[in-house]
Amino acid sequence: MPGRSTARVADVVAVDAAQPDAWLRGDRPPTVELSPGVWAVPVPCEMFPVRFTYAYLVVDGSDAVVIDPGLDTPAGMDALRAGAADAGLDLGNLTRILVTHYHPDHLGMAARLRDLSGARVSVHASEGAFLADMIDRPPEVAAESEMRWLVAVDAGPDLVRALREQSHAVGALLRVQLCLPDDHLRDGDIVAVGSRRLVAVHTPGHTSGHLCFVDPEAKLLFTGDHILPTINPNVGLHRASDDGDPLGDYLVALERLRAFADHVVLPGHEYAFTGLGDRIDALRGHQTVRSEALTSVLRQRGPCSVSQAAAALTWSRSWEAMSVADRHLALATVFAHVRRLEARGLVAVVSTDPTRYGLVS
Ligand SMILES: [Zn+2]
C-alpha cells in the first residue's frame, strides 16, 4: 500500500502502524485494507483480554469471503457491518464463511451471517465433529467430562467450585455462539474467491481442527489463533479423555508454516505483520523454556500432579493472584506439556489419586 507506515514491534514488523498503535493504546484499530481486496475489520470482544478479533474480508469480483466473523454481539455486528461498508460490501452479499476454529470470538457470528447471506459456513472436519459433539452433548455429560478433567489435573475443591461456577457462564456463552457448519475442509482444500485461491492448512494445537488459510499469489497467511505477533497462543489439553498430544501437534504445525516465511501474516488478534520465521522461532523457544521449567520442577520436587506442578512454576503473576479463568488455562497448558513429555518418554505416571507424574530416570 503506498503511503502506509510500518512499525517494528517486538521481533516482527507490523504491516500497518495503525493496528499496533491502537492495540498498544488499548483501542480498537480502524478497518484497514492490508492488501488489495483484503480488509481487516476489528470486531469487539471486550470480555476477553484480546479485546477484538479481526474478521478478514476477501473480496474479488462478485465473490466475498469472511474469515472468522467474530463474537456475536450487537456491537460486533455493527462493527462488522461498518467494516464491510468500508470495503464496499453488504454483508448480505457474502458468498462463503470460513472459520479458523470454534472459539466464540472467531466463529461467533457465523450462523447469523449465514442467515443474512445464505453463504455456507466451512470449518475443518475435526472442528466440525467437535462442534456437533458439543451441540448434541446433554449438559450432564458435559459436566461429567469436565469433572473428569478437574480430577485428572488434581484441581482441588476450591478451584473445582470456582471453575464450575465460571464454566457455567463460559458454557452458556459458548453454546449460544455455536453453529453447525455446512461443509468440512481438509488440509490442502482450495476455496476459490473470484480469481484468487485460498488454501486450507490444518494447524492443530490451539484447537484440534484449527485451520490457517494461505493466498499463495498475494503471499498472505491467515493464522487465526495459531500464530499471533506477541501473544503466545494457548495450547492446552482440555479433555481428560483426549489421548492426543496437542502441543506436539502444534509444534509440527508451526514448522510446516515456515514454507510461508515470506508471506504477510494476518492473525486473529493484535496486528498483521511480516517476519514469520523469527516469530516461529520465538514461539518454539517459549514452549521449550516452559517445558524445561516443568522438567526442573519435577526434578526438584519429585512426582507432582498437574496442579502441583502448575503452582510451582513461574507465571507472569503469582499462582494465588491468578483469576480462576487464567488458572484454568494455565492448568490446561501444563497438562499439555506433561503429555508432550510423556509422549517423548521423559515423564510417566507414577501414582494415581491424584495422578502424579515423575521424570523417567
Ligand atoms: Zn482461540
Side-chain angles (χ1 to χ4, degrees), residues 101 103 106 206 225:
H101 65 295
H103 288 162
H106 296 259
H206 180 66
D225 279 354

Side-chain angles (χ1 to χ4, degrees), residues 44-69:
C45 54
E46 307 290 350
M47 69 282 280
F48 299 138
V50 288
R51 297 198 316 274
F52 59 85
T53 305
Y54 289 114
Y56 290 102
L57 299 170
V58 183
V59 184
D60 193 312
S62 57
D63 282 355
V65 164
V66 61
I67 300 175
D68 284 351

Side-chain angles (χ1 to χ4, degrees), residues 148-170:
R148 271 206 305 276
W149 184 87
L150 290 165
V151 169
V153 300
D154 181 30
D158 288 353
L159 194 55
V160 166
R161 198 174 322 108
L163 282 173
R164 299 209 76 169
E165 276 165 24
Q166 176 215 253
S167 83
H168 279 304
V170 173

Side-chain angles (χ1 to χ4, degrees), residues 201-205 226 248-258:
V201 184
H202 183 208
T203 49
H226 184 62
D249 294 344
Y250 175 74
L251 294 171
V252 170
L254 269 186
E255 279 313 307
R256 280 190 68 202
L257 293 190
R258 274 194 206 278

Side-chain angles (χ1 to χ4, degrees), residues 234-269:
N234 183 273
V235 179
L237 188 56
H238 292 279
R239 284 189 183 187
S241 58
D242 183 349
D243 57 2
D245 174 12
L247 182 55
D249 294 344
Y250 175 74
L251 294 171
V252 170
L254 269 186
E255 279 313 307
R256 280 190 68 202
L257 293 190
R258 274 194 206 278
F260 311 107
D262 61 346
H263 286 39
V264 172
V265 180
L266 294 87
H269 308 286

Side-chain angles (χ1 to χ4, degrees), residues 6 12 16 30 32 91 101 114 125 135 138 163 183 224 267 273 278 282 304:
T6 58
V12 300
D16 188 314
V32 174
L91 291 177
H101 65 295
R114 173 169 59 194
I135 290 168
L163 282 173
D183 45 45
F273 66 94
D278 287 348
C304 288

Side-chain angles (χ1 to χ4, degrees), residues 303-304 338 342 347-360:
C304 288
V338 166
E342 247 187 317
V347 152
V349 174
V350 296
S351 66
T352 51
D353 198 21
T355 304
R356 291 186 310 142
Y357 299 86
L359 291 177
V360 173

